[in-house]
Amino acid sequence: MDLHVYRSVEDRWSDLRGAARDHGAVLGTNTFTLDEVVERLTPDLESATPAQRLALVERAMRAAPDRWKVAGLGQALDALSALKAAGAHGFELRELDAGSSLADLLDRYTESLSAAQLTDPKDRCWIAAQRIVGGSDWVRHFDRIVVHAIYDLADCEFALIHNLIAALPEGGTVLLFNTTANVKPTQFAEWTWKRFLEDESLADKTFPEFFRPGGPNRDLLERLFVWEDEGDSSRSGPARSGLRILESRGRYAEIEAIGAEIQDLLGRGAQADEIAMVVRHIDAYGEIIDDVFGRYGIPVGFETGVPLIRVPFIKYWIALLDLVSSERPRHALARALASAYREPRLSPEFDVEGMLLHIGYIDRRHLAASALAARHNSPLVPELARFEALLDGFETAVRPPEAFMNDLAPGPSLTSRDRQAWEILAEEIRAISRITGPMAFAGFRRIVSETAGLRTISRFSSHSAPPGVPRVAVLRPAALGRRSFSWVFAPGFADGEIPSRVSATALLPDDLAESLNRKLRPRRLRTLRDRNRAEPLYLFMILDAASRQATLSFPSSTLEGETIYPSIYIAELLRHFDTSLVETPRKRPPREIGERMRAAAAAWRDELLDDEQARALLGDDVIRRAGVERRGSGRAAVGAGIFNDEDVWSPSALNALVQCPFIYMARHRLKLKEAETPDFDIPPMEVGTLAHRILREFYSQPIPESEEEAATRMDDIVRRHLSPIDIEGRGPRMAIDPALWKIRRPQLVRALMTWAAFAVRDAKDGYETLPQYLDSPLPPAPMGGITLGGRPDHVAIRRVNGELNGIRIDDFKYSALSGYTAKQLEQSFQIPVYAFLAARALNAERGVAMEGRYLLLRSPSSPISNRAVDENVFEETSTRIEQLAETVRKGALAPNPSDTQECGACSYRRLCRLYGS
């Protein structure tokens, strides 16, 4: 009886399904995967699960160098697995200069496995290979081994199959691609990667000798990566009938084009199981394939697994664990609180992130969310307090891993898919409880996160077909082997994706691996070069698996419009043809309701349909919204008569109108509030409010005669106003981060103390504060055809012999002096308007000296920016105001920024339809 050995369950099922279809029911009692063969030979051993291996690696790394701990458990496990697969031992590593630390890690890991009565899967494979040599009752049931499309064997797996071929009476048979061969143990290396990687004489070859192409692309495959002399024309070019290359606009359009091709094939009588989608990076295409094929009604069967960490509930659950010991930034806390997976679930009416932003929450280092919410009497105070108490409780907890899982178990409302993923993860964590005992939460979170990245769950289509219905197979290139399909479609041939970038292992660099290989020979550790040599194999398998036609495709741009370049393999394929094979998907009739509506919209846009025909096809709502969107940024050109100019205009409104008409409309007409994001700095409004309060109190009494007295008074006022922040972190409207306050407080205090000295000099010059206009509105007055109003921060006057001789206007700015700031202040309407209003309120005669000053609170070395004001300034300002007012009267408020470089930081850029166009 033959012993049939497969790489995976999917490969075995593919063969058995074909045999069952041809011969009826098949009982595959002699078919095994490699792992199953190992289990049959070593029934007394127990393999460590991924979570158990991670837990034991974590234990072994506690004494590792700090530079290794940065690499993480995942990389450490990869390095140890590579060493185990090659059969390396600690004493062999210690003989190398750079191998002693890795040898210690390997020995501690091996000792931990032994203490837990577990076996590393690679060690178990080596033991199984040795037991075949010693004689095994189970092996005696078979006469011959048939190896199905297994070529990239690790050394332990190679030894296992090598020994099986040697032990069985009739030896072995290798089935690879389009080749079948009877082999002896000494010949087996010729049919695997082992010789191909080790033999230096083959280093210049792209494909091993056992790659025997067949099908319509045979001639092309024999020419790939072979560079002949340019003058050699003895061989004709390859046929192109078996290859197509498609270029699509983006990934979604790429899968739509492939879906349309498959739908056409099915319509012409092809069977779904004759078609395969071969995807190198399933993470980028899995959801798109499921969506498009579901819309097109194409039955699909995924033969690819999904890491647990990509399952929606597990992704949320890991994010929740990350919150426990992190700084709990606002966006992460809001995402967890508002998640549909959280129980008890918050009402959808709560905008959690908006609430956290409103109360000024940054992260836990700044101040607890519940404490900030209490200051604002938020209804979410109890919920925030409970949630933060839960997180705090876990942070200091030391429990068995299984206890953590029980405490964090989800409610009953999970989908079957999420529940299945949770049960797989819970089973893994239960398996480590017996070997770890109680552990700190940080260690538990680290092991759980790594386990969720290692363990996979089968991917099911959300549009499942009934059992027995043929399906289009979605699989990885490595699953092809001897499997062939009439039509093969392979998306994603983009630069940087195919061939895929192979990353080096930090704990096992190539120089150490090469040194160790010289000691291990004929065993071998795979280096970066070895792993890169496997990449052309996937191209070979895709082209060879198509018995009628292979279609490769690539997207030309991302969703953001960035260019994506085709893979270098596309250039290698095109090199062998006189004409380009690249084509764009041809236009096809719409295949479902969404495409029909898009086609109707495109025809309407191209004026092939009139408005009434489009309305009948698309509906009134689509027509109305399209009419609005068609105007683009011109939507803000509202037309004459919409806004009147009878209201009192502030200098801020005029400045906004100069900056951009759309900003004026959004901020001052539509009253849209700008969102203040208090990340990484204190909002300018907070500092400005503090400065206004302090200066208003300072000017509420006569200015002292000496700068020392003024400094003493200013210091007393500053301490009184800033003490709530210094002690409790409580600002005028929000809590303030103590770390940021340490930076901003000295800047504010230095500017205020400097201003106190200026105030004394003003007083000596004869200027007196007008208390009725201290941070209070000036009487409105007409100018430039509109009515102006405003509230300066400080107005002072000087009288000589009872007559008004000078006016000074002060405005406080939370700015640092720069070339851009100086330009803004020079063009600002604030000082000219305040001076005009003050002059009218005081009945000042022509010729009275007027001066405006800006106090720059973040430029203590040069805190004053002066501007002289006279009748010429008033005339110029009046002309500018009249032009701006006419713009509003006409309703010409479409985006027209004075400086387009500022658009990227504008709070209204998502509304104006100009940004990004």
Side-chain angles (χ1 to χ4, degrees), residues 17 266 271-273 290 293-302 459-473:
R17 184 172 50 196
L266 296 176
Q271 294 295 313
D273 53 8
D290 189 28
F293 282 30
R295 289 196 294 108
Y296 287 3
I298 300 173
V300 59
F302 286 92
R459 182 191 290 273
F460 295 106
S461 173
S462 57
H463 311 281
S464 57
V469 174
R471 294 171 171 83
V472 174

Side-chain angles (χ1 to χ4, degrees), residues 607-626:
E607 298 183 352
L608 300 177
L609 299 176
D610 59 31
D611 289 352
E612 291 305 317
Q613 292 171 322
R615 191 182 306 277
L617 294 171
L618 301 175
D620 292 337
D621 185 57
V622 172
I623 299 299
R624 180 187 59 80
R625 287 187 288 118

Side-chain angles (χ1 to χ4, degrees), residues 61-70 101-102 104-105 108:
M61 288 191 71
R62 290 173 189 169
D66 291 339
R67 61 185 175 85
W68 282 24
K69 294 178 182 178
V70 176
S101 296
L102 187 57
D104 292 340
L105 183 64
R108 284 194 296 270

Side-chain angles (χ1 to χ4, degrees), residues 813-827 854 856-865 902:
K813 296 290 186 186
Y814 186 71
S815 306
L817 188 61
S818 64
Y820 180 73
T821 307
K823 181 181 178 181
Q824 277 189 317
L825 297 180
E826 182 180 350
Q827 297 177 350
Y854 294 104
L856 306 178
L857 300 177
R858 293 176 64 183
S859 293
S861 59
S862 54
I864 303 298
S865 177
E902 294 300 306

Side-chain angles (χ1 to χ4, degrees), residues 129-152:
Q130 293 168 4
R131 290 187 178 180
I132 295 172
V133 177
S136 168
D137 293 337
W138 180 74
V139 173
R140 294 192 183 99
H141 290 90
F142 305 101
D143 301 316
R144 181 181 61 162
I145 178 175
V146 180
V147 183
H148 292 262
I150 304 179
Y151 42 85
D152 56 341

Side-chain angles (χ1 to χ4, degrees), residues 643-649 664 669 780 785-788 888-889:
F643 298 130
N644 61 61
D645 53 6
E646 297 177 359
D647 298 332
V648 176
W649 289 52
Y664 164 79
R669 293 296 184 171
I786 62 172
T787 302
L788 297 176
V888 176
R889 293 189 191 103

Side-chain angles (χ1 to χ4, degrees), residues 40 101 159 176 277 390 408 582 589 598-599 614 635 731 791 813 827 900:
R40 289 298 183 110
S101 296
L176 286 179
M277 279 274 289
L390 173 71
L408 292 163
V582 179
R598 291 204 301 271
R635 294 181 307 158
R791 185 175 68 178
K813 296 290 186 186
Q827 297 177 350
T900 55

Side-chain angles (χ1 to χ4, degrees), residues 631 633-643 662 665 670 887-894:
R631 299 181 63 188
S633 61
R635 294 181 307 158
V638 295
I642 300 299
F643 298 130
F662 186 80
M665 185 178 76
L670 301 180
T887 299
V888 176
R889 293 189 191 103
K890 293 178 179 179
L893 301 180

